[in-house]
Amino acid sequence: IPSPRAGHTATLVGGRVVLFGGGDGSKILNDCWFFDPATHNWSRPTISGACPPGRCAHTATFVAECNGRLLVFGGGDGSRRFKDSYVLDMEQWSRQGERRASGTPRRAGHKPAGKKSASHPAGSDERESIEHWLSSLGMKKYADKFTAQEIDMELVVCLTEAHLIDLGIPTLGARLRILNGIKALKDEREGRDPDSDELAESPPQPSMLQLTTKLTDAVETLSLATNSLTELLKPPPIEAPPPPQYIMPQPSAGELVPKPNSKLKENWQRRHMKRAWHWSL
């Protein structure tokens, strides 16, 4: 029995239903199952050839004019939109046109022309369109949050991460998946091919360690510049004048000079030293 999934196709081919693709919310599937309405039994056939990459919101159309083969076209895997086509003859897959036609736009959630298909019933509205888009991203469980705020496929390209937080998308991984899908929608509407070699690759973003190192170097450079400027603007030191010195007067001519080691000379010197002390004050 196939695993639970959404965004798959189930197409009636020659009395049995062929189920292909879809997603279960965590991964995109590319398995193929047959259902027999007569016996109500599921079977998984062994099919050779180049199997299509996993995808959601694609089309699978029974083409009676091609010997009853199944044509699978388009869809997406959450980060890309496909414009390739594969044909299943119930035993082997084959890719039609190894080089994609430049005039064929990438798409997901589209509908086949002609008669009604079990994979895309007639009368599907915008809610189903947003559900198909979210299913292709593996985010169908958030479809009710989008429709409750009347967000359709025209408005979804205007959403930012802040809007997704307001919508109640709780995890960072889910928000990144949706933002990546929005970018793919914008590229598709602007005619850009995400896989084209003409697109210039965006420069690698610096790591947190590189940003921290650059910030540390900038702070050190600013600190050195500040210290140099402080030294340049510092005023020169002001030297204090030397204290005044008292010069002991010398005896004038004819003045009586006390003899050495005499009491009179000691009194004379004390008197002059006291005068020098008062003068210094």
Side-chain angles (χ1 to χ4, degrees), residues 140-171:
K140 185 178 180 180
K141 60 184 177 180
Y142 299 118
D144 291 339
K145 297 180 182 294
F146 281 74
T147 55
Q149 298 297 325
E150 299 181 359
I151 297 175
D152 55 18
M153 293 303 294
E154 293 298 324
L155 296 178
V156 73
V157 295
C158 302
L159 297 182
T160 63
E161 185 172 8
H163 293 141
L164 297 179
I165 294 175
D166 292 339
L167 282 173
I169 311 299
T171 62

Short mmCIF file of all heavy atoms in Angstrom, two decimals, residues 140-171:
data_model
loop_
_atom_site.label_atom_id
_atom_site.label_comp_id
_atom_site.label_asym_id
_atom_site.label_seq_id
_atom_site.Cartn_x
_atom_site.Cartn_y
_atom_site.Cartn_z
N LYS A 140 1.72 21.28 3.09
CA LYS A 140 0.27 21.36 2.93
C LYS A 140 -0.46 21.57 4.25
O LYS A 140 -1.56 22.14 4.28
CB LYS A 140 -0.25 20.10 2.25
CG LYS A 140 -1.74 20.17 1.93
CD LYS A 140 -2.22 18.91 1.21
CE LYS A 140 -3.71 19.01 0.91
NZ LYS A 140 -4.21 17.81 0.22
N LYS A 141 0.15 21.15 5.36
CA LYS A 141 -0.53 21.29 6.65
C LYS A 141 -0.75 22.74 7.04
O LYS A 141 -1.54 23.03 7.95
CB LYS A 141 0.26 20.57 7.74
CG LYS A 141 1.69 21.10 7.92
CD LYS A 141 2.43 20.28 8.95
CE LYS A 141 3.88 20.74 9.10
NZ LYS A 141 4.60 19.93 10.11
N TYR A 142 -0.07 23.67 6.37
CA TYR A 142 -0.25 25.09 6.68
C TYR A 142 -1.20 25.78 5.71
O TYR A 142 -1.33 27.01 5.74
CB TYR A 142 1.10 25.81 6.65
CG TYR A 142 2.09 25.29 7.66
CD1 TYR A 142 3.29 24.72 7.25
CD2 TYR A 142 1.83 25.36 9.03
CE1 TYR A 142 4.20 24.23 8.18
CE2 TYR A 142 2.73 24.87 9.95
CZ TYR A 142 3.91 24.31 9.52
OH TYR A 142 4.82 23.84 10.44
N ALA A 143 -1.87 25.01 4.83
CA ALA A 143 -2.74 25.63 3.82
C ALA A 143 -3.88 26.41 4.46
O ALA A 143 -4.26 27.49 3.98
CB ALA A 143 -3.29 24.55 2.88
N ASP A 144 -4.46 25.89 5.56
CA ASP A 144 -5.57 26.58 6.20
C ASP A 144 -5.15 27.95 6.74
O ASP A 144 -5.95 28.90 6.75
CB ASP A 144 -6.13 25.73 7.35
CG ASP A 144 -6.84 24.48 6.84
OD1 ASP A 144 -7.23 24.49 5.65
OD2 ASP A 144 -6.97 23.51 7.61
N LYS A 145 -3.90 28.08 7.18
CA LYS A 145 -3.42 29.38 7.68
C LYS A 145 -3.36 30.40 6.55
O LYS A 145 -3.65 31.59 6.76
CB LYS A 145 -2.04 29.22 8.33
CG LYS A 145 -2.02 28.31 9.56
CD LYS A 145 -0.63 28.21 10.13
CE LYS A 145 -0.59 27.26 11.34
NZ LYS A 145 -1.36 27.80 12.48
N PHE A 146 -2.99 29.95 5.34
CA PHE A 146 -2.92 30.86 4.21
C PHE A 146 -4.32 31.28 3.76
O PHE A 146 -4.57 32.47 3.51
CB PHE A 146 -2.16 30.20 3.05
CG PHE A 146 -0.68 30.21 3.22
CD1 PHE A 146 -0.06 29.37 4.13
CD2 PHE A 146 0.12 31.05 2.45
CE1 PHE A 146 1.32 29.36 4.28
CE2 PHE A 146 1.50 31.06 2.60
CZ PHE A 146 2.09 30.22 3.52
N THR A 147 -5.22 30.30 3.62
CA THR A 147 -6.56 30.63 3.14
C THR A 147 -7.34 31.44 4.17
O THR A 147 -8.19 32.26 3.80
CB THR A 147 -7.32 29.33 2.81
OG1 THR A 147 -7.31 28.46 3.96
CG2 THR A 147 -6.66 28.61 1.65
N ALA A 148 -7.08 31.25 5.48
CA ALA A 148 -7.78 32.04 6.50
C ALA A 148 -7.43 33.51 6.38
O ALA A 148 -8.25 34.37 6.72
CB ALA A 148 -7.42 31.51 7.90
N GLN A 149 -6.24 33.83 5.89
CA GLN A 149 -5.83 35.21 5.70
C GLN A 149 -5.99 35.69 4.26
O GLN A 149 -5.48 36.75 3.89
CB GLN A 149 -4.35 35.37 6.12
CG GLN A 149 -4.08 35.07 7.58
CD GLN A 149 -4.80 36.00 8.51
OE1 GLN A 149 -4.97 37.19 8.21
NE2 GLN A 149 -5.23 35.49 9.67
N GLU A 150 -6.71 34.88 3.44
CA GLU A 150 -7.03 35.23 2.05
C GLU A 150 -5.76 35.46 1.23
O GLU A 150 -5.67 36.37 0.41
CB GLU A 150 -7.94 36.47 1.98
CG GLU A 150 -9.27 36.27 2.69
CD GLU A 150 -10.16 37.50 2.59
OE1 GLU A 150 -9.72 38.50 1.99
OE2 GLU A 150 -11.29 37.44 3.08
N ILE A 151 -4.77 34.61 1.44
CA ILE A 151 -3.53 34.69 0.68
C ILE A 151 -3.62 33.71 -0.48
O ILE A 151 -3.75 32.50 -0.26
CB ILE A 151 -2.31 34.37 1.57
CG1 ILE A 151 -2.20 35.42 2.68
CG2 ILE A 151 -1.03 34.33 0.75
CD1 ILE A 151 -1.11 35.11 3.68
N ASP A 152 -3.58 34.22 -1.69
CA ASP A 152 -3.66 33.38 -2.88
C ASP A 152 -2.30 33.37 -3.58
O ASP A 152 -1.31 33.89 -3.07
CB ASP A 152 -4.77 33.88 -3.82
CG ASP A 152 -4.59 35.34 -4.18
OD1 ASP A 152 -3.48 35.88 -3.99
OD2 ASP A 152 -5.56 35.96 -4.65
N MET A 153 -2.27 32.80 -4.77
CA MET A 153 -1.01 32.67 -5.49
C MET A 153 -0.48 34.00 -6.01
O MET A 153 0.69 34.11 -6.35
CB MET A 153 -1.17 31.69 -6.66
CG MET A 153 -1.42 30.25 -6.23
SD MET A 153 -0.12 29.60 -5.15
CE MET A 153 1.27 29.59 -6.28
N GLU A 154 -1.34 35.01 -6.07
CA GLU A 154 -0.88 36.33 -6.47
C GLU A 154 -0.20 37.06 -5.32
O GLU A 154 0.74 37.83 -5.52
CB GLU A 154 -2.05 37.17 -7.01
CG GLU A 154 -2.64 36.65 -8.29
CD GLU A 154 -1.63 36.67 -9.43
OE1 GLU A 154 -0.82 37.61 -9.48
OE2 GLU A 154 -1.66 35.75 -10.26
N LEU A 155 -0.68 36.82 -4.10
CA LEU A 155 -0.14 37.52 -2.94
C LEU A 155 1.02 36.78 -2.28
O LEU A 155 1.79 37.39 -1.53
CB LEU A 155 -1.25 37.74 -1.90
CG LEU A 155 -2.41 38.63 -2.31
CD1 LEU A 155 -3.44 38.70 -1.20
CD2 LEU A 155 -1.91 40.03 -2.65
N VAL A 156 1.14 35.49 -2.54
CA VAL A 156 2.13 34.70 -1.82
C VAL A 156 3.56 35.17 -2.11
O VAL A 156 4.45 35.05 -1.27
CB VAL A 156 1.96 33.20 -2.16
CG1 VAL A 156 2.43 32.90 -3.56
CG2 VAL A 156 2.70 32.34 -1.14
N VAL A 157 3.78 35.75 -3.31
CA VAL A 157 5.13 36.21 -3.64
C VAL A 157 5.53 37.44 -2.85
O VAL A 157 6.69 37.85 -2.88
CB VAL A 157 5.24 36.50 -5.16
CG1 VAL A 157 5.07 35.23 -5.96
CG2 VAL A 157 4.23 37.55 -5.58
N CYS A 158 4.58 38.07 -2.16
CA CYS A 158 4.88 39.27 -1.35
C CYS A 158 5.24 38.93 0.08
O CYS A 158 5.59 39.82 0.86
CB CYS A 158 3.69 40.22 -1.35
SG CYS A 158 3.16 40.76 -3.00
N LEU A 159 5.16 37.66 0.45
CA LEU A 159 5.38 37.28 1.85
C LEU A 159 6.85 37.34 2.21
O LEU A 159 7.73 37.05 1.40
CB LEU A 159 4.84 35.88 2.11
CG LEU A 159 3.33 35.67 1.94
CD1 LEU A 159 2.96 34.24 2.29
CD2 LEU A 159 2.55 36.64 2.80
N THR A 160 7.11 37.72 3.46
CA THR A 160 8.45 37.70 4.03
C THR A 160 8.44 36.77 5.24
O THR A 160 7.38 36.25 5.63
CB THR A 160 8.89 39.11 4.45
OG1 THR A 160 8.02 39.58 5.50
CG2 THR A 160 8.83 40.07 3.27
N GLU A 161 9.60 36.59 5.85
CA GLU A 161 9.67 35.73 7.03
C GLU A 161 8.83 36.28 8.17
O GLU A 161 8.22 35.52 8.92
CB GLU A 161 11.12 35.55 7.48
CG GLU A 161 11.25 34.54 8.62
CD GLU A 161 12.68 34.21 8.97
OE1 GLU A 161 13.59 34.87 8.42
OE2 GLU A 161 12.90 33.30 9.79
N ALA A 162 8.78 37.62 8.29
CA ALA A 162 7.95 38.21 9.34
C ALA A 162 6.48 37.87 9.12
O ALA A 162 5.74 37.59 10.09
CB ALA A 162 8.14 39.72 9.37
N HIS A 163 6.03 37.86 7.86
CA HIS A 163 4.65 37.48 7.57
C HIS A 163 4.39 36.03 7.94
O HIS A 163 3.34 35.69 8.49
CB HIS A 163 4.35 37.69 6.08
CG HIS A 163 4.36 39.13 5.66
ND1 HIS A 163 4.88 39.54 4.47
CD2 HIS A 163 3.93 40.24 6.29
CE1 HIS A 163 4.76 40.85 4.36
NE2 HIS A 163 4.20 41.30 5.46
N LEU A 164 5.37 35.16 7.64
CA LEU A 164 5.19 33.73 7.95
C LEU A 164 5.11 33.51 9.46
O LEU A 164 4.36 32.65 9.94
CB LEU A 164 6.33 32.92 7.36
CG LEU A 164 6.44 32.93 5.82
CD1 LEU A 164 7.62 32.10 5.37
CD2 LEU A 164 5.16 32.43 5.19
N ILE A 165 5.86 34.29 10.22
CA ILE A 165 5.78 34.19 11.69
C ILE A 165 4.40 34.64 12.15
O ILE A 165 3.77 34.01 13.02
CB ILE A 165 6.89 35.03 12.34
CG1 ILE A 165 8.27 34.42 12.02
CG2 ILE A 165 6.70 35.10 13.86
CD1 ILE A 165 9.43 35.24 12.50
N ASP A 166 3.89 35.72 11.55
CA ASP A 166 2.54 36.19 11.91
C ASP A 166 1.48 35.16 11.53
O ASP A 166 0.44 35.06 12.20
CB ASP A 166 2.25 37.53 11.22
CG ASP A 166 3.11 38.67 11.75
OD1 ASP A 166 3.62 38.52 12.87
OD2 ASP A 166 3.28 39.67 11.05
N LEU A 167 1.72 34.40 10.46
CA LEU A 167 0.77 33.37 10.06
C LEU A 167 0.78 32.18 11.00
O LEU A 167 -0.12 31.35 10.96
CB LEU A 167 1.09 32.90 8.64
CG LEU A 167 0.64 33.80 7.48
CD1 LEU A 167 1.18 33.28 6.17
CD2 LEU A 167 -0.87 33.90 7.43
N GLY A 168 1.80 32.09 11.84
CA GLY A 168 1.88 30.97 12.78
C GLY A 168 2.68 29.80 12.27
O GLY A 168 2.45 28.66 12.69
N ILE A 169 3.62 30.05 11.32
CA ILE A 169 4.53 28.98 10.87
C ILE A 169 5.62 28.86 11.92
O ILE A 169 6.49 29.72 12.03
CB ILE A 169 5.13 29.31 9.49
CG1 ILE A 169 4.03 29.73 8.51
CG2 ILE A 169 5.91 28.12 8.97
CD1 ILE A 169 2.99 28.70 8.26
N PRO A 170 5.64 27.81 12.75
CA PRO A 170 6.43 27.82 13.97
C PRO A 170 7.93 27.56 13.79
O PRO A 170 8.74 28.13 14.51
CB PRO A 170 5.79 26.72 14.83
CG PRO A 170 5.21 25.76 13.83
CD PRO A 170 4.82 26.59 12.64
N THR A 171 8.30 26.71 12.84
CA THR A 171 9.69 26.28 12.78
C THR A 171 10.45 27.03 11.69
O THR A 171 9.88 27.43 10.67
CB THR A 171 9.78 24.77 12.50
OG1 THR A 171 9.19 24.49 11.22
CG2 THR A 171 9.04 23.99 13.57
#
